[in-house]
Amino acid sequence: MGHAVQLLGFYKPELVTECYETALSLMDQLQISRGKAEPLMGLCLYWGGEPDGLQKAMTYGQLALNETEKVQDIWLSSLIKLAMAKASIFHQAWEKGNVLIAEALQLSRDCNDRYGEMVALFWTTYISYKNETESFQEDCRLFLLHLENNEVHFFLFKKTLFGPEDTQQF
């Protein structure tokens, strides 16, 4: 529910964290440690978009990764790394964002997650654009090729957890 509340954006911001905290509490009661990874990732995404939230986002992201790494869930680990990368990028921590994106991209490829791969390519392109690097044209070409080949155009037009906050700017 926290993901939906976060995406819709018309609820009080406190409801986002309440939903995730409730999920974490339920997982504690049920003694399902692995079940904490997704709400922790959600908290990473939420705090990553807050002006002073980078440290909290990274803390929640690392806690989520700890859970997925215990059970070798590389698919969810890749999404968590994307969440951490998005937080880094929002806060213009370009180098940290690049490292996390590269790790997420490799994990996405390892588990054949084309969506995760496309998201990683998008953020790679964004970083190279913002930093005016020579790789921008090639990064953009790879992203657009992946977008076209996998028919995931919605990513540029609809708000998603791992995409840009303002799709209109793209």
Side-chain angles (χ1 to χ4, degrees):
M1 189 171 166
H3 295 339
V5 171
Q6 194 168 175
L7 276 174
L8 293 172
F10 53 77
Y11 294 101
K12 292 180 183 176
E14 304 83 51
L15 184 58
V16 174
T17 56
E18 270 182 49
C19 288
Y20 290 130
E21 295 295 339
T22 299
L24 290 170
S25 176
L26 287 170
M27 292 302 111
D28 277 338
Q29 290 172 26
L30 295 170
Q31 297 179 353
I32 302 174
S33 183
R34 162 56 185 80
K36 294 179 184 180
E38 195 170 342
L40 288 167
M41 178 188 72
L43 286 165
C44 174
L45 285 163
Y46 173 76
W47 286 107
E50 292 297 305
D52 294 323
L54 182 59
Q55 189 55 47
K56 275 188 176 182
M58 292 298 122
T59 298
Y60 283 120
Q62 189 56 57
L63 289 170
L65 276 177
N66 293 346
E67 296 300 333
T68 58
E69 289 173 353
K70 286 180 202 172
V71 294
Q72 299 176 334
D73 183 344
I74 63 170
W75 175 73
L76 191 51
S77 291
S78 71
L79 294 177
I80 294 164
K81 287 187 182 268
L82 285 172
M84 295 170 75
K86 184 178 174 185
S88 298
I89 292 163
F90 179 84
H91 292 278
Q92 298 180 357
W94 307 117
E95 192 171 314
K96 181 69 172 169
N98 261 331
V99 168
L100 288 162
I101 294 263
E103 293 170 356
L105 180 60
Q106 187 57 57
L107 288 172
S108 294
R109 287 177 172 159
D110 290 347
C111 66
N112 202 29
D113 177 10
R114 295 184 192 281
Y115 178 77
E117 190 175 346
M118 180 272 303
V119 172
L121 292 170
F122 169 80
W123 288 115
T124 299
T125 302
Y126 182 78
I127 291 171
S128 64
Y129 171 76
K130 291 301 269 186
N131 290 282
E132 300 178 2
T133 64
E134 290 179 18
S135 66
F136 171 70
Q137 286 185 337
E138 180 61 13
D139 293 339
C140 190
R141 186 189 72 74
L142 289 173
F143 165 67
L144 292 173
L145 185 64
H146 200 82
L147 192 75
E148 184 67 26
N149 289 342
N150 295 291
E151 298 180 10
V152 286
H153 303 95
F154 70 88
F155 182 78
L156 294 177
F157 304 105
K158 296 192 184 273
K159 188 173 179 183
T160 65
L161 286 174
F162 299 100
E165 292 302 308
D166 179 8
T167 57
Q168 293 297 311
Q169 71 179 337
F170 295 97

